[in-house]
Amino acid sequence: MRNDSQSYTETVATNAHKGPKPFLQATKEEATRLPEGFASIRVPSNHASWFRRFLAFVGPGYMISVGYMDPGNWATDLQGGAQFGYTLLTVIMLSNLMAILLQALSARLGIATGRDLAQACRAYFPPALNIVLWLACEIAIIACDLAEVIGTAVALQLLFGIPLIFGALISALDAFLVLLLMNKGFRYIEAFIIGLLSIIALCFIVQLFGAQPSTLNIIKGFVPSSDLITNKQLLYIGIGIIGATVMPHNLYLHSSIVQTRNFERTPSGRRDAIRWATLDSTIALMLALFINAAILIVAAVAFHGTSHQGITEIGEAYHLLSPILGLGIASTLFATALLAAGTNSTITGTLAGQIIMEGFLGLQMPHWARRLLTRSLALLPVILVTALYGDKGVGELLIFSQIVLSMQLPFAVIPLVLFVSSRRKMGEFVISKRISALSWAVSIIIIILNIKLLIGLFI
């Protein structure tokens, strides 16, 4: 693979005269810290068909969509569907729309400035604030990794009878899978992730066919209900869904991996890349919406209004799905999709951890070492809780990890919106006042929900 940072700096120097550069333009030093594969994927010329150009940009959106359908989502969607039927479909839809907006802003920041969100924070925030933001990001990654460990361990237990503790230990081996894919090239990572996403989608298409949900009830579920505010338990799970859907570390990840495309570093080239990247992430996140909605719908059909309405455990749902739905393969498909989701999430979690550490601290660490460090911090609570409380404790830990993720959202969302709303920092790529107002409204909603959740937890 050629020296990507050299290619980047040469491109910038060549095209410097063709238009104004954003104030946040990356330096040569920062270009060398970007992940492997930077500017390594060729983009066809403007004379190529729109489909070929679109395919060249397809990939990063599906990588960040992984975080929106990881095992943490399964726990909250499963619990929400079993306890409240279709009611929380509206929360899934709203949180997905928030995700589409925020990921579009993240892609814009990375493409327009040549810096990812972590590098931008390091460049313009004081050191003390950067330490706080970095720690918040690390907590979010550990919480996300916690969900991946639990999801992978549960899937291995359901499919092969491996005890949870041993399944959690086996999950640490995925560091070598990440290393193998990185050595082959960034397109291999994207292809692997898209392949597993296809398996997850196929599994739930079959399960929905077996569940035969009511179309009218699904439509009603997407209509907001006042119970979302008045019912404390419903609100608790709803905020958990938002935390599980809008991933803090995805905002850092997306702003970096969109730069793997070797588009022209000119104003027109950047505008074109922003359009394609936004389309890529929007389509991919619609797939995430389908998966999350499918989990909740299947749970609503199978468990809501029955003696199993209080179900919260993924393992318990696995054992009940086939007999209740009358579809023998439903349980196996459920566990297979869970294993694919956990495996996918480990890859993006590793990349996000690398990007955040290098962006905030300027520290570089081998992928396998970074992965094993993060995974070790996630393994300890899983092993401890499993030993003390058994499978039930692990399920509650999974829900709690999503609440922790939700708490970290403002630490990523506010800096992102602050940067992309500033003309001084973004130049001609600054977002419009209308989009800026909408972005700040989303940020305020997230903060208010988190405050309400904290009050509910401690009072």
Side-chain angles (χ1 to χ4, degrees):
M1 187 177 296
R2 72 182 190 283
N3 187 326
D4 295 324
S5 62
Q6 181 181 358
S7 172
Y8 166 75
T9 51
E10 287 175 354
T11 304
V12 170
T14 302
N15 296 317
H17 67 283
K18 297 184 179 180
K21 293 187 294 182
F23 186 67
L24 267 176
Q25 193 63 261
T27 63
K28 179 178 180 180
E29 179 187 7
E30 287 170 327
T32 64
R33 292 198 184 116
L34 290 166
E36 288 83 350
F38 178 80
S40 63
I41 299 174
R42 189 179 68 85
V43 174
S45 66
N46 292 332
H47 301 293
S49 67
W50 72 269
F51 187 66
R52 281 188 60 202
R53 289 182 61 78
F54 170 66
L55 285 182
F57 284 92
V58 168
Y62 291 89
M63 290 186 67
I64 58 100
S65 75
V66 165
Y68 296 93
M69 56 184 96
D70 74 343
N73 295 73
W74 291 54
T76 50
D77 294 339
L78 175 64
Q79 187 176 355
Q83 293 187 19
F84 302 103
Y86 301 88
T87 305
L88 284 166
L89 281 175
T90 185
V91 175
I92 291 178
M93 179 183 68
L94 290 174
S95 60
N96 197 263
L97 292 175
M98 289 182 184
I100 289 174
L101 172 64
L102 294 174
Q103 294 299 163
L105 298 183
S106 176
R108 174 179 289 267
L109 176 68
I111 292 172
T113 68
R115 278 184 173 139
D116 60 54
L117 181 56
Q119 291 172 333
C121 289
R122 186 171 182 232
Y124 290 96
F125 289 154
L129 179 57
N130 276 318
I131 293 297
V132 172
L133 293 175
W134 171 67
L135 289 175
C137 290
E138 292 294 347
I139 292 172
I141 289 178
I142 292 171
C144 183
D145 210 51
L146 188 63
E148 294 159 12
V149 169
I150 295 173
T152 302
V154 169
L156 291 173
Q157 181 188 54
L158 297 177
L159 290 171
F160 308 109
I162 300 174
L164 281 178
I165 291 180
F166 291 108
L169 293 173
I170 290 173
S171 69
L173 299 177
D174 59 36
F176 300 102
L177 173 63
V178 176
L179 185 63
L180 174 65
L181 292 172
M182 287 296 294
N183 288 337
K184 285 183 171 294
F186 211 82
R187 269 302 200 190
Y188 282 87
I189 296 179
E190 295 174 347
F192 182 81
I193 284 177
I194 291 174
L196 289 182
L197 288 177
S198 301
I199 292 174
I200 297 171
L202 180 61
C203 288
F204 276 103
I205 288 173
V206 175
Q207 289 180 76
L208 284 175
F209 178 79
Q212 296 181 342
S214 166
T215 304
L216 180 60
N217 287 337
I218 292 175
I219 294 173
K220 289 181 179 178
F222 284 107
V223 178
S225 169
S226 59
D227 291 343
L228 290 170
I229 303 298
T230 58
N231 188 317
K232 292 183 180 179
Q233 181 64 16
L234 188 62
L235 178 63
Y236 177 85
I237 298 177
I239 295 176
I241 288 176
I242 293 176
T245 303
V246 185
M247 289 291 189
H249 65 274
N250 260 350
L251 302 179
Y252 294 91
L253 175 66
H254 200 194
S255 60
S256 180
I257 61 177
V258 290
Q259 299 177 55
T260 56
R261 272 51 187 174
N262 192 18
F263 53 86
E264 291 185 8
R265 264 61 183 184
T266 61
S268 60
R270 293 178 192 275
R271 279 194 296 270
D272 189 55
I274 289 172
R275 284 194 296 268
W276 291 119
T278 301
L279 181 60
D280 170 48
S281 62
T282 300
I283 294 174
L285 288 174
M286 292 307 294
L287 172 62
L289 172 61
F290 166 76
I291 298 298
N292 287 318
I295 297 171
L296 188 141
I297 291 169
V298 170
V301 173
F303 309 123
H304 184 61
T306 72
S307 58
H308 305 293
Q309 182 168 314
I311 190 172
T312 59
E313 304 296 328
I314 291 177
E316 190 178 358
Y318 165 83
H319 292 295
L320 292 172
L321 272 178
S322 285
I324 290 178
L325 296 179
L327 184 66
I329 200 174
S331 294
T332 302
L333 291 175
F334 183 80
T336 301
L338 177 63
L339 182 60
T343 303
N344 252 351
S345 299
T346 61
I347 297 175
T348 57
T350 300
L351 290 176
Q354 176 195 355
I355 289 164
I356 288 170
M357 178 173 285
E358 293 179 2
F360 276 114
L361 306 180
L363 298 178
Q364 293 182 319
M365 181 182 292
H367 298 297
W368 62 269
R370 167 71 206 189
R371 186 60 190 158
L372 289 178
L373 173 62
T374 305
R375 181 50 55 95
S376 298
L377 294 175
L379 279 174
L380 292 176
V382 175
I383 293 173
L384 182 63
V385 170
T386 303
L388 294 177
Y389 303 103
D391 295 0
K392 183 175 179 57
V394 171
E396 293 177 354
L397 185 62
L398 186 58
I399 295 288
F400 179 73
S401 71
Q402 303 312 298
I403 301 299
V404 173
L405 278 172
S406 183
M407 295 299 175
Q408 307 309 314
L409 270 176
F411 294 98
V413 172
I414 291 177
L416 173 64
V417 177
L418 190 67
F419 285 131
V420 296
S421 300
S422 171
R423 180 170 294 277
R424 178 172 175 267
K425 295 178 174 63
M426 293 290 290
E428 65 183 283
F429 299 102
V430 65
I431 59 176
S432 67
K433 292 183 178 179
R434 182 178 300 179
I435 299 298
S436 178
L438 179 61
S439 302
W440 282 117
V442 168
S443 304
I444 292 171
I445 290 172
I446 290 173
I447 292 172
I448 291 174
L449 289 176
N450 285 322
I451 292 174
K452 186 171 181 61
L453 177 62
L454 279 175
I455 294 174
L457 287 176
F458 292 102
I459 301 179

